[in-house]
Amino acid sequence: MAQRKIPESYLSHKLLFFSGLLTFGLLDGLTAAMMIDEKGIIAEANPLLRELVISYGSLSLLIFKVVACFLLLSIPLLIQHFSKKSMFWTINGFYGVFTIAGILAATDNWIFMNMGDPFIDPELVTALTFLVVMIAIALGDIMDYNRNRTHGQTHSMITDKEWERMKREMNYPD
């Protein structure tokens, strides 16, 4: 009986998706809730999350972070689903950035909670995350373009000669 080959993107996308959800959603949310409980509401740098905690409690912060992270990390999978070409490196880079950003943010929360000073300013962590996401998407797009081209998946532009032939076939007026 022949075994079905699992696409390489299947496993890596799922592993990186769940590692991003675990670190950026759960771990960062959990350490932020612990930090707020220990240091007070002003310890949270994000005013939206502060208001959420004031209105609904620390557990709401954790739930919000996990749900928002899940939705954010689902976007590349939806784009890939409707795209005709592979986005293997773009998606892996996107997920990798959020996995690392989650580890960095959770570590920063933990250090602030235990030492009183953050390791890295939270605004800098946010700015670096957005910058590195843009770089990862751009590099992933370049790598995917080359990968798709070598596998014959790219769609080239229509040449003038092909356009003229198509116009003749459709009886398109000149």
Side-chain angles (χ1 to χ4, degrees):
M1 180 183 243
Q3 283 188 333
R4 191 181 79 146
K5 184 181 178 199
I6 297 173
E8 60 191 16
S9 62
Y10 181 79
L11 183 59
S12 65
H13 287 163
K14 289 202 181 299
L15 286 173
L16 287 169
F17 178 90
F18 286 113
S19 68
L21 186 62
L22 178 69
T23 60
F24 194 72
L26 186 64
L27 192 60
D28 180 35
L30 185 61
T31 57
M34 290 168 52
M35 178 183 67
I36 289 170
D37 287 342
E38 186 166 312
K39 298 288 185 181
I41 192 64
I42 200 67
E44 175 56 52
N46 186 330
L48 172 70
L49 296 180
R50 276 197 308 255
E51 188 62 37
L52 186 71
V53 172
I54 289 169
S55 299
Y56 302 105
S58 294
L59 182 60
S60 65
L61 170 73
L62 181 60
I63 292 168
F64 178 81
K65 284 282 295 180
V66 171
V67 170
C69 184
F70 179 83
L71 293 173
L72 176 69
L73 295 177
S74 296
I75 292 170
L77 294 178
L78 290 171
I79 294 171
Q80 173 68 54
H81 178 73
F82 293 108
S83 177
K84 293 188 189 296
K85 48 187 180 167
S86 172
M87 295 174 52
F88 178 78
W89 291 110
T90 304
I91 292 173
N92 282 345
F94 184 83
Y95 289 159
V97 169
F98 280 101
T99 298
I100 293 168
I103 292 169
L104 185 60
T107 303
D108 204 32
N109 291 343
W110 187 260
I111 289 172
F112 178 68
M113 188 172 51
N114 290 315
M115 301 175 98
D117 257 344
F119 176 65
I120 301 173
D121 186 34
E123 288 84 8
L124 182 60
V125 172
T126 303
L128 282 174
T129 300
F130 285 124
L131 177 65
V132 176
V133 162
M134 294 300 140
I135 292 170
I137 289 172
L139 289 175
D141 193 43
I142 291 167
M143 292 172 67
D144 285 332
Y145 174 77
N146 290 329
R147 182 172 189 252
N148 291 333
R149 191 177 63 186
T150 60
H151 289 94
Q153 293 180 356
T154 59
H155 302 285
S156 61
M157 299 295 288
I158 297 174
T159 64
D160 289 339
K161 187 176 177 181
E162 290 171 331
W163 177 241
E164 290 300 323
R165 181 188 55 79
M166 289 170 60
K167 285 195 315 187
R168 277 193 314 273
E169 289 175 359
M170 295 186 309
N171 293 325
Y172 187 80
D174 286 327

